[in-house]
Amino acid sequence: MHEGVHARVPRVSQGKERPLTVHQLNELLLVCSLVLLVAVAAVRISSRSGLPSLLVYLGIGMAMGQDGIGDIHFDNAELTQVIGYAALVVILAEGGLGTKWKEIRPALPAASALALFGVAVSVGVTATGAHYLIGLEWRQALIIGAVVSSTDAAAVFSVLRRIPLPARVTGTLEAESGFNDAPVVILVVAFSTAGPIEHWYTLVGEIALELVIGAAIGLAVGWLGAWGLRHVALPASGLYPIAVLAIAVSAYAVGAIAHGSGFLAVYLASMVLGNARLPHWPATRGFADGLGWIAQIGMFVLLGLLVTPHELGDDILPGLVIGLVLTVVARPLSVLLCLPAFRVPWREQALMSWAGLRGAVPIILATIPMVNGVADSRRIFNIVFVLVVVYTLIQGPTLPWLARKLHLGDPSEAADLGIESAPLERLRGHLLSVEVPEGSRMHGVEVAELRLPAGAGVTLVVRDGTSFVPLPTTVLRRGDELLVVTTDPVRDAAERRLRAVSRGGKLAGWLGTDGT
């Protein structure tokens, strides 16, 4: 009962359909490129309006569908599930690569509690509301409760990343979003399987076993991949991003084949890789970020195509009622029961109660009962779709406002220092490319005041398009790009010192600011 088994690839038709002609292929490529361009332009609209971009992409898919201007008839839930799983793997990999261990480490206990016990509370409360308020059978109610209990990192942080929040808040929300997909998928598959639902203790044991297997495989694959990339110099810098994503995806595949949680495996493997300080890291992050956007766009457009708008009328009210139970009862209760034990302040609890944003994951999971032939599965999909769209529309724009009202923004927090490392194998050294961002306290620091370890030095400064060799008295400015040459033994120490100065200025060592 793991992800790999249930993501069955649909068979290719064996009929006598004529293959695509070159002209038809060109037209298809033109349509796909236009959709991507419109979707990219829509990011600007969503960023200005505060709406998560998923709503825009869903709208594009619905506009292309049978009730829209495109009049495309698409109802293949199985294909949607397969593509959705693949896109979710890429999105989790991108999220794991961007997760900072120093921020997530203190939040791991609270995030794990929310991802496990919190999910159980949310499923139970939401399913009870769906059964008694809407009149759904218990199986359908439990499926909906499980489907909508997974938070979506892409939806949450497309809104929250515009505000610098305390590390504990971002770490908890990010870890929860990466961890809770795994148990939720297992629950949805279990509830959608034909026959009686297993005893709860059997199901809990199976979930625990799959999570342990997935976690072990993810950590092992991530560590082995990071070790290999740090000790094997690839012939071209463009190969590093491809290798990193291949390692992350292989963690999912190995985890699923081993009857573990592939989703947890890919997230943990990506997190290990993302904190391993690999060569050409900014290029890898940019590549992963671009793939993540493509995965989101394709997934949301496909989900929009799968929806039949004229069938949603009877499911709008049930979706609103279940969403209300989830948003104002189930999610706050989960937070209230899980976080006080970790001494989380009430203001952070309030924000995290409202930040349980649902995105693509619930809609993808709603295709599982459709593929398995569960009764009323189409209605389940429509209710989940309405719930996600409406409550994302409500919660998304209000999250930054709530963070400001709760005084959780930290505008004084300096932006992280971007450092790219290119290995110099034959010289046993590294060339660090360091960009001084806005908000960095490295602004105004002289080169000599960086106090880099012996064996490291600033060899070049690029400022306003002009490069020059700096003097010890050269004052650094925001927007400068530094080239730092360092020997292999002091490479990590030099990077830690640069990050410390960026956060704490020239007195970082005495003020207790480190570069971890």
Side-chain angles (χ1 to χ4, degrees):
M1 190 178 65
H2 54 96
E3 296 95 337
V5 170
H6 296 276
R8 297 172 297 167
V9 179
R11 297 179 179 177
V12 178
S13 174
Q14 300 297 321
K16 297 183 178 180
E17 292 89 347
R18 297 174 60 185
L20 283 175
T21 64
V22 174
H23 180 70
Q24 290 173 326
L25 179 60
N26 292 337
E27 290 180 340
L28 180 61
L29 291 175
L30 176 61
V31 171
C32 292
S33 61
L34 289 176
V35 169
L36 282 175
L37 288 174
V38 171
V40 170
V43 176
R44 181 67 174 173
I45 299 174
S46 65
S47 63
R48 288 196 169 192
S49 63
L51 296 177
S53 54
L54 72 91
L55 296 179
V56 181
Y57 304 146
L58 285 173
I60 293 174
M62 294 175 68
M64 295 170 58
Q66 57 180 317
D67 287 350
I69 58 177
D71 196 28
I72 298 175
H73 292 258
F74 179 81
D75 59 357
N76 193 331
E78 191 171 6
L79 177 61
T80 304
Q81 180 185 333
V82 172
I83 295 177
Y85 270 47
L88 185 56
V89 169
V90 175
I91 292 171
L92 284 174
E94 190 273 332
L97 292 174
T99 299
K100 298 177 183 177
W101 175 246
K102 65 180 180 63
E103 293 183 358
I104 200 176
R105 180 174 54 190
L108 277 179
S112 300
L114 281 175
L116 297 174
F117 181 69
V119 162
V121 172
S122 182
V123 171
V125 173
T126 306
T128 301
H131 176 71
Y132 288 106
L133 298 179
I134 304 302
L136 294 177
E137 296 292 333
W138 272 115
R139 180 181 292 275
Q140 285 76 14
L142 286 170
I143 290 174
I144 286 184
V147 163
V148 299
S149 293
S150 177
T151 57
D152 189 271
V156 170
F157 287 101
S158 66
V159 177
L160 285 185
R161 281 177 179 171
R162 296 198 303 272
I163 300 177
L165 294 171
R168 178 164 54 183
V169 175
T170 57
T172 302
L173 290 173
E174 192 166 348
E176 180 200 6
S177 300
F179 293 163
N180 64 12
D181 289 340
V184 166
V185 169
I186 297 170
L187 286 174
V188 174
V189 172
F191 296 151
S192 301
T193 303
I197 298 175
E198 302 178 55
H199 296 294
W200 67 270
Y201 50 84
T202 304
L203 188 58
V204 169
E206 192 164 354
I207 291 175
L209 178 61
E210 293 199 18
L211 292 179
V212 169
I213 294 174
I217 290 175
L219 293 174
V221 171
W223 185 85
L224 290 173
W227 183 87
L229 290 175
R230 291 185 66 125
H231 288 81
V232 177
L234 298 178
S237 61
L239 293 176
Y240 282 92
I242 298 174
V244 168
L245 266 297
I247 293 170
V249 173
S250 68
Y252 169 83
V254 174
I257 291 173
H259 295 271
S261 173
F263 289 137
L264 183 60
V266 67
Y267 182 76
L268 290 179
S270 301
M271 187 169 64
V272 172
L273 291 168
N275 289 273
R277 297 179 182 176
L278 300 176
H280 304 288
W281 184 244
T284 300
R285 284 291 297 125
F287 180 77
D289 191 47
L291 278 185
W293 277 109
I294 291 177
Q296 289 187 57
I297 292 171
M299 178 173 56
F300 291 139
V301 170
L302 195 62
L303 290 171
L305 278 173
L306 189 62
V307 175
T308 306
H310 72 263
E311 296 179 354
L312 297 177
D314 294 336
D315 300 314
I316 292 177
L317 183 58
L320 294 177
V321 172
I322 296 175
L324 190 64
V325 172
L326 173 68
T327 305
V328 303
V329 181
R331 174 66 180 184
L333 185 60
S334 300
V335 172
L336 182 62
L337 293 177
C338 293
L339 297 188
F342 304 101
R343 298 181 180 179
V344 178
W346 72 266
R347 291 184 301 168
E348 296 181 8
Q349 291 186 46
L351 181 65
M352 286 188 271
S353 296
W354 192 246
L357 208 60
R358 272 68 191 173
V361 176
I363 305 178
I364 293 172
L365 296 182
T367 64
I368 294 177
M370 296 175 67
V371 173
N372 289 356
V374 175
D376 291 331
S377 58
R378 187 72 196 191
R379 188 186 183 197
I380 293 174
F381 180 86
N382 290 341
I383 290 175
V384 171
F385 185 87
V386 170
L387 185 155
V388 169
V389 171
V390 172
Y391 284 92
T392 300
L393 190 62
I394 295 173
Q395 291 176 276
T398 58
L399 279 174
W401 173 84
L402 180 61
R404 289 191 295 269
K405 289 298 182 181
L406 293 173
H407 304 290
L408 290 176
D410 187 8
S412 64
E413 184 176 333
D416 193 26
L417 193 67
I419 301 179
E420 179 172 0
S421 172
L424 305 174
E425 293 295 328
R426 297 175 62 183
L427 302 179
R428 292 185 55 78
H430 294 267
L431 179 63
L432 306 182
S433 175
V434 182
E435 297 180 0
V436 182
E438 292 292 332
S440 172
R441 291 182 174 88
M442 194 179 288
H443 175 79
V445 175
E446 295 182 2
V447 170
E449 293 172 329
L450 292 174
R451 302 201 321 275
L452 295 175
V458 181
T459 59
L460 196 69
V461 175
V462 180
R463 178 178 297 164
D464 299 328
T466 302
S467 59
F468 59 92
V469 177
L471 299 173
T473 56
T474 298
V475 178
L476 302 177
R477 300 177 183 174
R478 298 183 185 92
D480 285 354
E481 183 176 355
L482 318 180
L483 294 183
V484 180
V485 174
T486 171
T487 57
D488 190 66
V490 301
R491 186 260 189 196
D492 289 342
E495 183 172 338
R496 285 196 298 270
R497 177 58 189 168
L498 289 168
R499 294 187 185 277
V501 175
S502 180
R503 295 192 179 103
K506 65 182 74 175
L507 300 179
W510 288 285
L511 295 177
T513 306
D514 59 25
T516 57

